[in-house]
Amino acid sequence: MKARKTIGLALGSGAYRGFAHIGVIRSLEKNNIPIDYLSGASIGAWAAAYYARFKDIGTLEKDLIDNQKENMSLLFDFGWNKGLISGEKFLFYLNQKLQNCNFVDLQIPLRIVATDLASGRPYIFDSGSVASAVRASCAVPIIFKAPEHDDKLLVDGGLSDPVPVDLLVKMGADITIGVNLYNQQEFVTQKYTSSNIVVRSTMVMLASLSQAAMHQADIVIEPDLSRFVKKNSLAKYFSKQSADEMIHSGEEATDRIIPELRKLLD
């Protein structure tokens, strides 16, 4: 009997948009689509690590939505050295939630990407502490202190490989799915100030990088999160209502590609 085709899922960077990843996995689960390989960058690394560890996306949903006060407190960990936030609280939190696991402890093979600040190249984690890998992949420049690892200074994985589909190919996945949270659906603001010119410029760069990464994906999932762009409060991003809406957007976008995915599996 011929073995079924294996499926790899790449969860992209995207800050608060990462709630959509929960919806993506929720849709795959309800449609009985297995996930054999995982990769992630930034917030996508966080989501991928949880699922690789527990194979239960509800665990991540509960931690992110039901513990908002605790999660917000992670931002009040000022370091003022290579970043406003030291990241020590965040690393402790990740170790606690992921049960101090290493890559060998995971239920699904996982690759996490950070960016080597010296070379600008992706730095791939596939061994050692999963929490340390996630913390490095989420190290947004200026905001989070860039951690040192393997004699390298590492920053956010989204800067070099925002949707790491290429890692799934190297891992051996027959079918690759890329989840892009940066797309032009968000380019809704037309009035520019000095500050949002900087934000828009960054978005243009990330959207372009993400589109380039998606060329290797057999299936592309792009949740429409444009309605959240105009929110002007960090607390609103972490409200249960916003989180639920973003999760629903991810689930809807994934539901739409299920027929195409089944054809590839057949």
Side-chain angles (χ1 to χ4, degrees):
M1 182 176 178
K2 185 179 179 181
R4 67 167 177 82
K5 295 176 181 177
T6 56
I7 297 173
L9 178 66
L11 301 180
S13 64
Y16 66 88
R17 304 167 189 79
F19 285 109
H21 288 319
I22 295 172
V24 169
I25 296 176
R26 182 188 284 175
S27 173
L28 294 174
E29 283 187 332
K30 78 180 181 185
N31 286 286
N32 298 311
I33 303 296
I35 301 172
D36 301 291
Y37 303 99
L38 281 160
S39 65
S42 198
I43 190 64
W46 191 347
Y50 264 73
Y51 198 69
R53 177 61 170 143
F54 302 109
K55 293 187 76 171
D56 174 16
I57 200 57
T59 303
L60 177 61
E61 184 175 353
K62 185 175 186 299
D63 284 346
L64 287 181
I65 297 176
D66 293 350
N67 301 301
Q68 293 177 42
K69 186 177 293 186
E70 179 184 8
N71 296 337
M72 288 291 288
S73 71
L74 300 176
L75 301 178
F76 296 95
D77 179 23
F78 300 113
W80 312 111
N81 179 22
K82 298 176 184 174
L84 297 177
I85 300 170
S86 75
E88 292 303 313
K89 282 187 178 180
F90 184 40
L91 181 59
F92 178 83
Y93 170 91
L94 289 171
N95 268 314
Q96 183 182 45
K97 298 299 183 181
L98 294 170
Q99 302 173 341
N100 295 293
C101 71
N102 290 329
F103 279 79
V104 295
D105 302 315
L106 300 175
Q107 298 190 61
I108 300 174
L110 170 69
R111 299 291 183 270
I112 287 176
V113 60
T115 301
D116 176 2
L117 193 58
S119 68
R121 304 282 301 170
Y123 182 91
I124 311 305
F125 286 91
D126 59 5
S127 63
S129 165
V130 176
S132 294
V134 173
R135 186 260 183 270
S137 188
C138 292
V140 179
I142 301 176
I143 304 300
F144 275 95
K145 178 182 178 180
E148 294 183 19
H149 180 84
D150 196 21
D151 295 325
K152 300 181 188 301
L153 199 62
L154 301 178
V155 292
D156 196 308
L159 297 177
S160 58
D161 196 358
V163 192
V165 178
D166 56 314
L167 302 184
L168 301 174
V169 175
K170 293 174 182 176
M171 293 169 78
D174 296 316
I175 299 170
T176 57
I177 304 171
V179 185
N180 177 21
L181 303 184
Y182 288 119
N183 51 73
Q184 293 194 339
Q185 294 165 332
E186 292 198 15
F187 291 0
V188 293
T189 302
Q190 300 300 327
K191 295 181 180 179
Y192 302 114
T193 63
S194 297
S195 60
N196 65 26
I197 283 176
V198 173
V199 173
R200 172 59 66 85
S201 299
T202 303
M203 280 296 302
V204 169
M205 177 194 71
L206 290 169
S208 298
L209 279 173
S210 297
Q211 285 298 324
M214 299 305 285
H215 286 313
Q216 293 192 61
D218 298 306
I219 299 286
V220 174
I221 300 173
E222 291 187 313
D224 183 358
L225 304 171
S226 57
R227 63 186 178 279
F228 299 101
V229 175
K230 293 184 179 180
K231 290 185 180 292
N232 56 12
S233 165
L234 185 63
K236 288 183 179 179
Y237 291 137
F238 287 93
S239 72
K240 187 176 190 309
Q241 180 182 349
S242 292
D244 286 342
E245 289 177 8
M246 284 186 270
I247 290 170
H248 184 65
S249 294
E251 187 171 2
E252 276 192 326
T254 308
D255 286 345
R256 288 194 293 271
I257 60 85
I258 294 298
E260 181 185 359
L261 179 55
R262 291 202 188 282
K263 287 181 182 179
L264 290 178
L265 283 168
D266 292 340

